Amino acid sequence: MSVSEEEVLKKMYNLILNPSTREWERYLLTTTKNALGQQKNFKEQLAKLEVELRPLALRNNLTPDVADFYQEITGNTAVSEQLVKEQHVVADPAYQERAIFAGGCFWCMVEPFESQPGIISVLSGYTGGVLEHPSYDQVSSGATGHVEAVEIIFDTRRVSYQELIDLYWQMTDPTDAFGQFQDRGAQYRPVIFVADEEQKKIAERRKQAAIDSNRYSKPIVTEIRAAGPFWPAENYHQEFYKKQPKRYKAIKRERQQFLMYQHLKGKLREGLHRKK
C-alpha cells in the first residue's frame, strides 16, 4: 500500500460526505476513521476495513468511488491505471484511428463500442471545454464547457468510421440538446468530435441522412465539432460496466426502453411519409 495515513483519512472523510456512498459503506468508513482518530493501529484498522469491503469488491458491487478507494488501499490502483493507459495507444497509425463521441453519461457509451469487432480501446473522459485536466466534479458543475465522452481507437481494416457513426446514431437521442435520457445538463449533450476532414464529411453525411429520413419529429441538434484535447476520466469511471454490472444494467435498461420507443415512432413516421 503506497497511500499515507493522512491521505487515507482525507479520502475516507470525502467518501463519508459523498452522497453516492451507500449507508453500509459509510458506516464502515466512519468506524475506521474514528478508530484511526483515536490513534489505534493504522495497518490493523485498514486491514480490518479491507476484509469488510472485500466481499462486495470481489463481486464488483461497491459504489465507484469506494471501489477506487479499495483499489488504492489494496495496492491495485497503479496497476489498473497503467493497464488502461497501455491499452489506449495508437500502435499502428497506418491502420488505426481515433474517434470521439459524446452522448450522455460515458458509463453507458463504452460497452456498445467495446463489444464491436475491430475496437482496440475505449476510454472515458472529458473534452470540448476550456479547463485543462478537469475533474469529474468540475465537469459535472457544467461550468467548464466539457462534455462526458468516449475516445475510441479502432482498426480501420475491421471496422470503418462510418460504422461507428451509425452505431452512435442508434444509441443516442439526436433531438435532445440539454442532455441524454436521464442525464441532464450541457455536459451530457450529443456531440461528434471529428479528427480530420474525412471524418467530418462522413459525420455530416450521416447527420443529413438522419434529417432526410423523417424519423424524428424534432430538429436534429447533435453537434459536429473539431476534436480537441481529450482528458481521461478518473480511474473508477473506466470500464464502469465491468466494475458495476448491476448498476450499469439498470441504467442501460432505461436507455434501451427510450430508444426502442423512439425507433418505433421513427419507423411509423417514415411509413406515413412514404404514403404521402
Side-chain angles (χ1 to χ4, degrees), residues 37 41 51 59 61 87 90 92 143 162 168 180 193 197 229 263:
N41 186 280
V51 170
R59 295 198 297 271
N61 204 25
Q87 292 172 355
V90 175
D92 188 354
Q162 179 166 312
Y168 171 79
Q180 289 288 282
F193 294 91
E197 280 301 315
H263 292 164

Side-chain angles (χ1 to χ4, degrees), residues 104 140 173 176-189:
S140 296
D173 177 7
D176 190 347
F178 303 102
Q180 289 288 282
F181 315 106
Q182 68 270 40
D183 305 313
R184 311 315 302 161
Q187 69 271 28
Y188 297 119
R189 68 189 186 277

Side-chain angles (χ1 to χ4, degrees), residues 25-239:
E25 295 170 328
R26 185 174 288 109
Y27 168 76
L28 293 177
L29 291 163
T30 301
T31 301
T32 304
K33 179 178 176 295
N34 290 340
L36 293 176
Q38 296 168 11
Q39 304 301 313
K40 293 188 177 181
N41 186 280
F42 176 68
K43 290 184 178 180
E44 181 181 313
Q45 293 301 318
L46 215 55
K48 183 179 178 181
L49 176 62
E50 188 275 326
V51 170
E52 296 283 358
L53 293 174
R54 190 187 304 165
L56 286 180
L58 292 174
R59 295 198 297 271
N60 292 318
N61 204 25
L62 292 172
T63 51
D65 290 1
V66 176
D68 194 44
F69 174 73
Y70 180 84
Q71 287 184 324
E72 288 190 53
I73 65 174
T74 55
N76 294 326
T77 300
V79 174
S80 180
E81 290 181 346
Q82 187 61 31
L83 284 174
V84 170
K85 292 177 182 178
E86 287 178 355
Q87 292 172 355
H88 198 74
V89 174
V90 175
D92 188 354
Y95 297 107
Q96 294 176 7
E97 291 184 16
R98 295 178 187 267
I100 301 177
F101 302 114
C105 178
F106 46 30
W107 287 352
C108 293
M109 293 286 288
V110 176
E111 187 257 351
F113 285 111
E114 201 163 67
S115 60
Q116 297 300 308
I119 301 300
I120 297 166
S121 175
V122 182
L123 194 67
S124 297
Y126 317 111
T127 191
V130 296
L131 185 67
E132 294 187 355
H133 303 286
S135 69
Y136 178 75
D137 289 340
Q138 289 171 326
V139 173
S140 296
S141 72
T144 68
H146 292 87
V147 289
E148 290 193 12
V150 290
E151 183 178 66
I152 303 161
I153 297 177
F154 62 101
D155 188 331
T156 57
R157 294 167 295 186
R158 300 187 62 196
V159 62
S160 68
Y161 182 72
Q162 179 166 312
E163 288 174 308
L164 297 183
I165 284 282
D166 289 343
L167 177 59
Y168 171 79
W169 282 105
Q170 293 173 25
M171 56 193 284
T172 59
D173 177 7
T175 67
D176 190 347
F178 303 102
Q180 289 288 282
F181 315 106
Q182 68 270 40
D183 305 313
R184 311 315 302 161
Q187 69 271 28
Y188 297 119
R189 68 189 186 277
V191 187
I192 299 171
F193 294 91
V194 294
D196 51 37
E197 280 301 315
E198 183 61 25
Q199 286 192 358
K200 182 180 179 181
K201 288 179 183 178
I202 294 171
E204 289 180 340
R205 186 166 63 243
R206 301 313 291 166
K207 179 178 179 178
Q208 190 59 49
I211 294 172
D212 295 340
S213 70
N214 297 296
R215 288 194 302 267
Y216 302 98
S217 58
K218 300 178 181 178
I220 302 294
V221 296
T222 299
E223 300 176 58
I224 298 174
R225 295 176 53 185
F230 183 89
W231 308 104
E234 295 81 349
N235 188 52
Y236 59 83
H237 291 301
Q238 306 301 336
E239 296 188 320

Side-chain angles (χ1 to χ4, degrees), residues 241-252:
Y241 75 98
K242 294 180 181 178
K243 295 176 180 177
Q244 299 286 330
K246 290 183 179 179
R247 289 186 65 193
Y248 170 70
K249 286 179 181 178
I251 298 170
K252 180 181 178 180

